[in-house]
Amino acid sequence: MTGGPPVDAADAVDVVVIGAGLAGLTAATELAATGRQVQVVEALDRVGGRTASHHRYGQALDAGGSYLGVRHLRVRELAARFGLALTPTAAPGANLYDLGAGLLRSDAGRPAFNALAVGDALDRLDDLAATVPPADPATAEHAAEWDQLTVAAWAHRELRHPDARLLVDLLVRQMLAADPADVSLLHLLFYLASGGGVHYLTAFAGGAQQDRFVGGAHQLAERMAAALTRPVRHGAEVTDLYAVPSAGRPGARPGHGPVRVVGPGLSVLGTHVVVAVPPGPANRIRLHLPSVHRPAQPARTRGATVKLHLIYERPFWREAGLSGWVTARTGPLRYVVDDSAGRDGLGVLVGFVTGPDASRYAAGSGAARRVALLDRLAGWFGPTARQPLAVLERDWQAESTVEGCYAAVPEPGWWTAAGPPWPTTAADGPVRWAGTERCAQFYGHLEGAVRSGQETARRIIAADPVRAPAAQ
Ligand SMILES: Cc1cc2nc3c(=O)[nH]c(=O)nc-3n(C[C@H](O)[C@H](O)[C@H](O)COP(=O)(O)OP(=O)(O)OC[C@H]3O[C@@H](n4cnc5c(N)ncnc54)[C@H](O)[C@@H]3O)c2cc1C
């Protein structure tokens, strides 16, 4: 089917990139560097997607993606290229555990969990993850069974010690922002294999949370966007992609005609199109292109997050020898970390409300929510916790351009029914899908988004290598 509103000749480009998150902007940056005309179109009035910041008290606070690890080499490389500094996240002091038997302060000598049971559970997860090929999880020997088995059911069946079961429960809620009863064992194992293993993924120093951006993660997208010759078009929510007949066009290949990218007030023509939006919104883009098939993507995702910031005059918990880190057995707030480092004396605690807790939390009244939140923090850190300068919330479930955070968590059975959501052959059409959910490595991370953007650009360049490098 062809059609859609007419397009102005000035709006015909080599590549249209839909979505100005890290994946889209990375693809655009790489393609523009080869001399291609690239137009990025973005639904929102800002760039960055799932990286965004609150600006308060002269500080930028990451409301979305924030931390990066020692293995996130492509993001580190981009940060250096665009002049952004990183700062370590580690906060010295004792951690607090609120696991149902009173508040436990855990210094090195007082582990909160049974070390043997917990160590064994983590090792088992890493051993099982090592049998899942991230490039195609459905080909793992036990994929069929593990895709139907939820993590909660697996933990109940396999882990004897209650501490081990509790740890796995907390881990899934924290790492995937989902309830372990909603997540298949196969998805968890894929996520671990993709991201470098459970020990790496959960660690701060030396692990996936080692650093954050000085001045906020959103700056990376902003700087990449600013360096593009064609400004990003904002307020441009894409709804439809139409085929345009390529007959008579010199060099046209069957099925590779230009594509008309359409939305309210938008009509742009691209020889290639990169759809760099998350799976939920990508499912809503209507395809009117006979030769293009939508890749496998979960119809419904299980991840949900409200990310909170509590700003204080000073990191007062450090005076009591506390690191600011809390893990709690019951919600809504189960995880707190200290984000104060390098913030000119301000104390900043970051809290995560995840999975079904996030929906319940967001549905409550603002005033009641705040009282309950401060009560909880006061129980952990004392009465000073009741006096923040500001409490900031970002409910990512409410954002229609995202649907499912931190990244898509497919329903049990999805991997074996659908297959991987990234290209598995060299064959490509004029439309390609990018994003952190389209990357077998570091799925769900900033690193996955950047790698996917780079890989998509590489495939376009390989498919259409005629452009000579030129100043755009
Ligand atoms: C609360 C939170 C905490 C996180 N913490 C971390 C962390 O510490 N470390 C880490 O590595 N990762 C973290 N992540 C994940 C990380 O932020 C994402 O993996 C990454 O930013 C995804 O980038 P992306 O380009 O794939 O997608 P996105 O950033 O979602 O970009 C997609 C873009 O497409 C736009 N769009 C959507 N639909 C349309 C449409 N129809 N037309 C036009 N534009 C459209 C969106 O507005 C958006 O700008 C976190 C995420 C969240 C939400």
Side-chain angles (χ1 to χ4, degrees), residues 19 21-23 42-43 49-50 64-67 236 238 276 278 405-406 435-436 444-446 449:
L22 284 184
E42 163 58 48
R50 279 171 273 179
S66 183
Y67 305 124
V238 173
C405 271
Y406 321 114
T436 194
H445 291 84
L446 304 169

Side-chain angles (χ1 to χ4, degrees), residues 1-4 240-245 258-260 286-292:
M1 190 172 153
T2 61
D240 295 85
L241 301 183
Y242 291 93
V244 174
V259 173
R260 195 187 300 273
R286 293 179 290 264
L287 304 181
H288 312 272
L289 303 117
S291 63
V292 171

